[in-house]
Amino acid sequence: MYAFLSAVSAFVSDRFEKKNDRGATAVEYGLLVGLIAVVIIVAVALLGNQLVALFNDITGQLAGPSGVSE
């Protein structure tokens, strides 16, 4: 993920340094925001069930030794 964001950052900075007219910058920012949103959605979709299982496991382990029952 870090490598992807670093590559996008380098691409964007390179594009803006060499560009004289700034008319399309809003479109480019919109495309970047859309791409980042897609990456986040895919990451949540792929890791969502694993994170829920992890938090449920941690919650179960914390409930036992404390002596507090639900």
Side-chain angles (χ1 to χ4, degrees):
M1 187 69 167
Y2 175 75
F4 171 74
L5 292 177
S6 177
V8 169
S9 174
F11 172 75
V12 169
S13 65
D14 185 46
R15 287 273 295 160
F16 290 145
E17 287 176 4
K18 296 179 182 178
K19 193 171 184 179
N20 288 334
D21 68 332
R22 303 259 180 193
T25 57
V27 174
E28 291 170 352
Y29 278 126
L31 290 173
L32 285 174
V33 167
L35 181 63
I36 291 170
V38 168
V39 169
I40 291 172
I41 289 169
V42 168
V44 168
L46 292 176
L47 300 176
N49 291 334
Q50 293 175 355
L51 288 174
V52 168
L54 175 68
F55 287 130
N56 286 337
D57 185 41
I58 292 171
T59 303
Q61 290 178 6
L62 291 175
S66 68
V68 177
S69 62
E70 292 181 17

